[in-house]
Amino acid sequence: MKTALITGITGQDGSYLSEFLAKKDYKVIGMVRRNSSVENRGRIDNLPADVRGKIVLEYGDLQDMQSMVRLLKQYAPDEVYNLASQSHVKISFEQPVLTAQVTAIGALNLLEAIRISDVNCKFYQASSSEMFGKAEESPQNEQTKFHPRSPYAISKVFAHMAAINYRESYGMFNACGILFNHESPRRGENFVTRKISIQANRIKRGEAKELLLGNLDAKRDWGFAGDYVEAMWMMLNHEKADEFVIATGQSHSVGEFCEIAFSHLGLNYKDYVKSDPKYMRPADVNTLVGDASKAKKELGWEPKVSFEQLVKLMVDADRAKN
Ligand code: NAP
Ligand code: G4F
């Protein structure tokens, strides 16, 4: 039985990856931060009992290297997935230093913890399409130049390059997945897709009158999180540590997401969606679209859920919760 250590296990991707690995008979060690309440563990605690039974939660923090050295020595994992970060782009403008401490230096802390613990493990870094930012070419692939547009994206570039540098310097098996946006019913409520799927249902039930958003013209390459965690595992089980873009190859605007979500509930989004400066960013990324040819060819990875299916499954999941 293999052992995987996951940082960020309580997040969207952490829950899907845990589920995926548990079904492959891994023992999963999830690093969790101390909180005043354990309510943020819902995504893990609600997994089926046979899956939950293979997950052990342990305290640790990306900002606390000692806690990670302890876990690495205790469990000697075969695979380490670094999914933890301050992952909200708009909030990174409000907390730039914290974002860098967690998302950039936190990743370096973990790489150092692996190096000094001398544990023989493979390492996955959750890199982001936000690193392309104001992209110079479209679609973006592994060779596209980075032009980060936020403290979050700058931090991700640092962590990405640190993972590559530790591979080159110390021979570590460090793979970086440059993942484009991926969503699900487990997406955090303040990311745009989930904000739309929740509020469209509230409007349908008569509990709200409008949905306030920021930039409706921004375009993203949106896929399903369940498909994307499989790519993480494929990267660590590939013959060589490398970088891979993971994307659907199609881009849609925030407005299009609203259109499908509202019409799925029999509503016209134009009657309810309004733009509010409060949700605008000092610098936004207007359009991102990824070219995942390398992952398709070398890993055999393919996205399975289409954009329209994704929007509808998120709206349906939030409808069923009430
Ligand atoms: P998420 O839902 O925001 O989850 C982030 C996780 O990081 C949570 O478990 C959070 O714990 C944990 N965390 C935050 N600060 C920490 C710290 N100091 N020490 C330890 N854990 C900490 O993010 P996600 O959507 O699952 O994304 C997973 C990773 O992929 C992130 O690194 C994100 O930046 C990256 N990424 C995401 C996407 C996407 O579209 N989803 C695309 C590209 C890259 P709490 O529950 O305690 O807050
Ligand atoms: O849903 P978002 O907040 O996601 P964003 O900024 O693309 O970042 C997500 O995907 C990245 C991968 O490219 C990850 F690395 C990152 O961790 C995160 O998971 O915003 C998407 C777009 C933006 O252009 C934003 O300006 O939607 C626009 N938007 C318009 N109104 C809004 C809103 N975003 C949010 N969160 N809230 C709004 O009201």
Side-chain angles (χ1 to χ4, degrees):
M1 183 191 252
K2 279 188 173 180
T3 300
L5 172 65
I6 304 178
T7 73
I9 194 164
T10 53
Q12 170 189 258
D13 290 7
S15 69
Y16 280 103
L17 181 63
S18 304
E19 208 171 354
F20 178 84
L21 293 175
K23 285 185 183 153
K24 285 205 169 289
D25 208 27
Y26 278 63
K27 177 174 179 178
V28 176
I29 312 303
M31 191 178 89
V32 293
R33 296 194 280 181
R34 190 265 162 183
N35 270 295
S36 63
S37 147
V38 291
E39 277 178 12
N40 71 326
R41 297 187 189 170
R43 292 184 179 106
I44 293 298
D45 289 339
N46 290 329
L47 293 174
D50 57 327
V51 170
R52 181 66 184 85
K54 290 187 180 146
I55 302 171
V56 178
L57 299 181
E58 292 274 6
Y59 284 109
D61 195 299
L62 277 191
Q63 297 192 79
D64 175 15
M65 197 198 292
Q66 175 272 331
S67 65
M68 295 185 284
V69 169
R70 179 176 59 80
L71 293 180
L72 289 162
K73 288 197 165 176
Q74 186 176 343
Y75 291 102
D78 302 282
E79 296 170 10
V80 174
Y81 294 86
N82 184 31
L83 307 187
S85 82
Q86 190 306 89
S87 74
H88 200 282
V89 175
K90 169 101 174 14
I91 295 170
S92 81
F93 286 100
E94 282 137 43
Q95 293 191 283
V97 176
L98 174 90
T99 301
Q101 280 162 347
V102 174
T103 306
I105 303 300
L108 184 62
N109 282 337
L110 179 49
L111 287 164
E112 262 301 273
I114 294 170
R115 190 180 73 81
I116 62 181
S117 324
D118 216 13
V119 173
N120 187 17
C121 62
K122 294 180 174 181
F123 175 83
Y124 174 84
Q125 171 58 23
S127 296
S128 165
S129 53
E130 282 292 299
M131 299 189 306
F132 297 126
K134 197 173 174 188
E136 287 179 6
E137 61 180 354
S138 186
Q140 295 86 47
N141 62 32
E142 294 79 5
Q143 311 307 325
T144 304
K145 207 176 143 196
F146 298 144
H147 186 146
R149 295 269 283 172
S150 62
Y152 168 78
I154 295 166
S155 304
K156 281 291 184 188
V157 171
F158 178 93
H160 179 83
M161 296 313 301
I164 293 171
N165 178 256
Y166 271 56
R167 183 205 297 156
E168 293 174 355
S169 307
Y170 306 115
M172 289 165 63
F173 189 108
N174 293 345
C176 301
I178 307 176
L179 272 51
F180 282 62
N181 298 51
H182 46 280
E183 319 293 312
S184 74
R186 300 182 202 163
R187 184 57 141 155
E189 291 87 345
N190 58 359
F191 294 93
V192 76
T193 56
R194 189 77 198 291
K195 194 172 158 182
I196 296 166
S197 66
I198 291 172
Q199 191 72 351
N201 273 295
R202 283 196 190 126
I203 290 169
K204 177 69 180 174
R205 291 194 303 269
E207 294 165 11
K209 289 193 167 19
E210 59 183 12
L211 166 59
L212 300 179
L213 295 176
N215 183 3
L216 292 180
D217 298 325
K219 292 178 94 175
R220 290 290 184 276
D221 181 332
W222 276 298
F224 173 57
D227 292 345
Y228 285 42
V229 298
E230 183 179 14
M232 299 174 184
W233 175 81
M234 286 174 157
M235 285 179 222
L236 291 198
N237 288 277
H238 188 51
E239 59 199 17
K240 109 179 202 290
D242 209 340
E243 296 89 58
F244 292 95
V245 160
I246 300 297
T248 70
Q250 287 182 21
S251 190
H252 298 274
S253 69
V254 172
E256 282 174 80
F257 195 105
C258 291
E259 188 178 356
I260 298 176
F262 278 78
S263 73
H264 190 48
L265 294 169
L267 302 172
N268 182 345
Y269 83 101
K270 289 187 174 158
D271 296 336
Y272 306 98
V273 176
K274 297 193 173 74
S275 200
D276 184 335
K278 186 176 156 194
Y279 298 109
M280 297 289 190
R281 298 169 184 191
D284 203 357
V285 171
N286 292 327
T287 302
L288 286 175
V289 58
D291 171 7
S293 312
K294 180 177 168 184
K296 288 180 184 176
K297 184 163 169 263
E298 293 189 22
L299 304 176
W301 178 82
E302 287 283 346
K304 298 180 189 84
V305 178
S306 74
F307 175 68
E308 193 164 330
Q309 285 171 330
L310 174 68
V311 180
K312 290 180 177 172
L313 77 82
M314 289 181 72
V315 171
D316 288 342
D318 281 317
R319 176 162 43 189
K321 280 185 187 150
N322 281 278

